[in-house]
Amino acid sequence: MTQGTNQQEYKTKYDRKMAERAMEKKKEERQLKIMKIVGVILCAAVVVAIAAPIISNVVKKQQALNGTYVKIGDHELSELEYDYYYYSAVNNYINTYGSFISYLGLDTSVDFDKQQYDETKTWKDYFDQMTVDEQIKPIFALLDEAQKNGFTYDAAEDYDAYVASIQEAADNAGVSLSDYYRNYFGPYATASNVEAFIKNGYIASAYYEQLVADNAPTTEEVKTYYDENRNAYDQVDYKSIAFETPEFEEDATDEEKAKDLEDRQKQAEDVLAQIENGDTVDGFELTEGAKYSAVPSSAAAWLFDDARAEGDIQVFTDDSTSNVYVVQFVKKFYDEANDETISSSLASQTVSAQLQEVADRYEVVDVKGDLKYLTIPETTTEDTSAGDTAEDAAEDTAATDGATGDTAEDTTADEAAGDATEDSAE
């Protein structure tokens, strides 16, 4: 299958850049595994229905409800329970990527096991592995640790509110409540038989929050982390004006392009002189509270250098785009509200690592024989290259369509992990 052939066309530089940033943000959000596990399960505001088979065999239904479908650690899951996590994970994935699904080459109207995710896995294999590794194992790790440590939580109130939200969502979607449960949690799901799974999600969420609180870093640890990652949290105010590279004709020569760049650099130097002379320059505008990733990449290190003083001004040329900037420093500052963000992030990292150790001890036994991904050899680093997976292809396509190189975000892989806050169930 050709990956990402149905691609959205972005008409402007702004649209392309926003699309690229949005896609990266979506991926980062999805990759916050344990921090989002309960949110994945308990989010039912939007539903993308996965085609559910018609159940006509009573025996098959009884097996799905009562037989062991897969064993994970000491936990024996029925097909009903596995589907609950699988359908929740897939729906969340599709809703997360939204309009970028076309980039991924995924057709939600076609069986997932008939579509390749990469060279070795189908989309069904990928979703099965995601369900086990990113949903079921972390949930059970939390539940097992909660039980071992005597943690209890009454999820009745949460569950009642959730049921009310499910009913509202079904009404808004114009479907019956029973159809809604089947579409979102699998063909065997009903309001009553998934109640325990939903409550387990709230118990796991409550215990996770307790662990995060128990593992809060000290003030000194927060300060140390900030000092080591200042560019991820500091902000600057600065003034700038851009002399952008024009759209050249296809037959434009290197000499013509070089002459254009030279002219724009001369313009920028003239503007710099005017500003230093105290003249008003149209288009020389103030940007406030910009992070390192959002300023022109060619000026980022300069702007965030501790040696900067108010009024410092310089001309910069972007190596990727040949855009030319006049940039004047105003001030650099740190919002102390980020202390809480850093604290939460560090605590979450600690807890996630602890829970991952528990989850890694769970052996997966494919009792029914439906989890084909377990028989696929692990791909080595040498075997994997950019663009091998559907997600890689999507990112490559988005970047090709829209990368501008104008900001530090365009030339930096990502900001420090502390920029992400915990996204738990609401």
Side-chain angles (χ1 to χ4, degrees), residues 129-143:
Q129 185 171 11
M130 182 174 69
T131 298
V132 172
D133 292 345
E134 300 181 19
Q135 304 298 317
I136 299 175
K137 282 186 175 182
I139 284 282
F140 286 148
L142 283 162
L143 293 174

Side-chain angles (χ1 to χ4, degrees), residues 40 98 110 144 158 222 272 280 305 323:
V40 168
V110 177
D144 287 347
D158 293 323
V222 170
L272 183 147
T280 299
D305 192 324
N323 289 341

Side-chain angles (χ1 to χ4, degrees), residues 49-167:
I50 307 170
I54 298 174
I55 305 168
S56 56
N57 190 317
V58 175
V59 175
K60 181 180 178 182
K61 181 176 180 180
Q62 287 304 311
Q63 290 176 340
L65 296 177
N66 303 308
T68 299
Y69 182 78
V70 62
K71 185 176 180 181
I72 299 178
D74 294 331
H75 302 272
E76 295 183 356
L77 283 74
S78 65
E79 189 171 355
L80 165 71
E81 185 171 7
Y82 182 83
D83 280 352
Y84 169 78
Y85 292 108
Y86 176 86
Y87 276 67
S88 299
V90 173
N91 277 302
N92 180 76
Y93 182 94
I94 293 171
N95 290 331
T96 295
Y97 276 96
S99 61
F100 294 106
I101 286 296
S102 61
Y103 278 122
L104 301 175
L106 175 62
D107 186 343
T108 57
S109 68
V110 177
D111 288 346
F112 294 153
D113 60 2
K114 292 181 172 59
Q115 304 179 66
Q116 287 299 124
Y117 172 76
D118 60 19
E119 292 182 355
T120 60
K121 291 188 183 74
T122 65
W123 275 97
K124 175 65 164 57
D125 298 327
Y126 172 73
F127 286 135
D128 278 329
Q129 185 171 11
M130 182 174 69
T131 298
V132 172
D133 292 345
E134 300 181 19
Q135 304 298 317
I136 299 175
K137 282 186 175 182
I139 284 282
F140 286 148
L142 283 162
L143 293 174
D144 287 347
E145 289 298 293
Q147 184 178 36
K148 184 176 76 173
N149 292 295
F151 177 86
T152 59
Y153 180 78
D154 185 357
E157 186 175 343
D158 293 323
Y159 176 74
D160 290 343
Y162 181 73
V163 169
S165 71
I166 286 282
Q167 182 64 67

